PDB file of all heavy atoms in Angstrom:
ATOM      1  N   MET A  25       6.733   3.726   7.563  1.00 43.00           N
ATOM      2  CA  MET A  25       6.079   2.424   7.349  1.00 43.00           C
ATOM      3  C   MET A  25       4.774   2.578   6.868  1.00 43.00           C
ATOM      4  O   MET A  25       4.284   3.629   6.565  1.00 43.00           O
ATOM      5  CB  MET A  25       6.138   1.772   8.743  1.00 43.00           C
ATOM      6  CG  MET A  25       7.411   0.769   8.813  1.00 43.00           C
ATOM      7  SD  MET A  25       7.542  -0.169   7.248  1.00 43.00           S
ATOM      8  CE  MET A  25       5.914  -0.744   7.017  1.00 43.00           C
ATOM      9  N   GLU A  85       4.450   2.532  12.364  1.00 97.00           N
ATOM     10  CA  GLU A  85       5.505   3.534  12.509  1.00 97.00           C
ATOM     11  C   GLU A  85       6.168   3.528  13.862  1.00 97.00           C
ATOM     12  O   GLU A  85       7.394   3.639  13.926  1.00 97.00           O
ATOM     13  CB  GLU A  85       4.868   4.909  12.257  1.00 97.00           C
ATOM     14  CG  GLU A  85       4.122   5.193  10.960  1.00 97.00           C
ATOM     15  CD  GLU A  85       5.087   5.372   9.788  1.00 97.00           C
ATOM     16  OE1 GLU A  85       6.349   5.452   9.999  1.00 97.00           O
ATOM     17  OE2 GLU A  85       4.634   5.355   8.593  1.00 97.00           O
ATOM     18  N   GLU A 115      10.156   8.579  12.231  1.00 97.00           N
ATOM     19  CA  GLU A 115       9.080   7.515  12.337  1.00 97.00           C
ATOM     20  C   GLU A 115       8.140   7.826  13.500  1.00 97.00           C
ATOM     21  O   GLU A 115       6.882   7.559  13.370  1.00 97.00           O
ATOM     22  CB  GLU A 115       9.719   6.107  12.552  1.00 97.00           C
ATOM     23  CG  GLU A 115      10.758   5.593  11.489  1.00 97.00           C
ATOM     24  CD  GLU A 115      10.134   5.516  10.056  1.00 97.00           C
ATOM     25  OE1 GLU A 115       9.056   5.964   9.736  1.00 97.00           O
ATOM     26  OE2 GLU A 115      10.919   5.133   9.187  1.00 97.00           O
ATOM     27  N   HIS A 118       5.850  10.262  12.057  1.00 97.00           N
ATOM     28  CA  HIS A 118       4.767   9.622  11.206  1.00 97.00           C
ATOM     29  C   HIS A 118       3.761   9.008  11.982  1.00 97.00           C
ATOM     30  O   HIS A 118       2.487   9.119  11.708  1.00 97.00           O
ATOM     31  CB  HIS A 118       5.460   8.392  10.288  1.00 97.00           C
ATOM     32  CG  HIS A 118       6.569   8.996   9.435  1.00 97.00           C
ATOM     33  ND1 HIS A 118       7.289   8.133   8.616  1.00 97.00           N
ATOM     34  CD2 HIS A 118       6.963  10.221   9.094  1.00 97.00           C
ATOM     35  CE1 HIS A 118       8.153   8.890   7.845  1.00 97.00           C
ATOM     36  NE2 HIS A 118       7.943  10.184   8.250  1.00 97.00           N
ATOM     37  N   GLU A 198      10.186   9.593   3.741  1.00 94.00           N
ATOM     38  CA  GLU A 198      10.646   8.140   3.468  1.00 94.00           C
ATOM     39  C   GLU A 198      11.764   8.117   2.432  1.00 94.00           C
ATOM     40  O   GLU A 198      12.480   7.079   2.364  1.00 94.00           O
ATOM     41  CB  GLU A 198       9.374   7.433   2.949  1.00 94.00           C
ATOM     42  CG  GLU A 198       8.368   7.199   4.063  1.00 94.00           C
ATOM     43  CD  GLU A 198       8.892   6.321   5.236  1.00 94.00           C
ATOM     44  OE1 GLU A 198      10.030   5.728   5.162  1.00 94.00           O
ATOM     45  OE2 GLU A 198       8.176   6.357   6.261  1.00 94.00           O
TER      46      GLU A 198
HETATM   47 FE1  LIG B  30       7.625   6.107   8.425  1.00 56.13          FE
END
Side-chain angles (χ1 to χ4, degrees):
M25 261 319 306
E85 301 284 353
E115 306 299 5
H118 297 176
E198 290 300 348

